Amino acid sequence: MIADRFEDVTPAEPVRLNPKADRDLLLYGYLRGAPLRAGARLHLAGVGDFDLQEVDALPDPCPLPHQDLPPAAAADGAAAAAAKPARRRTLSDRERLIHAPMSDVG
């Protein structure tokens, strides 16, 4: 897992009373390989091992063009694309997305 960003969602009052209180963090990032599940152990370098309480999959911020279609249409489109020769496609300015992981943009 590569963490793009994190958010500390711990209520402020317990942290004010005890700076060493347990914290609740939200990690956002990218995962490749084995899936993460709630209850799995996660190692944060320099911090230690932790149990995951919840894991949610978010939509891809920059999906490939064939991922924008519903699954049935994507399957039909794949069959149609196999029948036709591939043509070049360019993005107009309104279709361009900023994808800048780890930069706090977007």
Side-chain angles (χ1 to χ4, degrees), residues 80-88:
K84 295 181 198 174
R87 67 168 217 223
R88 292 192 119 182

Side-chain angles (χ1 to χ4, degrees), residues 8-24:
D8 186 353
V9 294
T10 309
E13 188 61 22
V15 174
R16 188 182 67 78
L17 296 174
N18 179 8
K20 294 187 177 187
D22 289 342
R23 304 285 183 108
D24 290 328

Side-chain angles (χ1 to χ4, degrees), residues 30-92:
Y30 302 91
L31 181 66
R32 181 179 170 138
L36 286 178
R37 293 186 179 91
R41 303 277 293 170
L42 177 71
H43 178 78
L44 296 177
V47 181
D49 294 328
F50 299 92
D51 293 323
L52 295 174
Q53 290 182 352
E54 184 179 341
V55 177
D56 294 325
L58 299 176
D60 190 346
C62 292
L64 296 173
H66 72 289
Q67 291 176 334
D68 290 338
L69 301 173
D76 294 341
K84 295 181 198 174
R87 67 168 217 223
R88 292 192 119 182
R89 180 173 179 248
T90 60
L91 295 175
S92 66

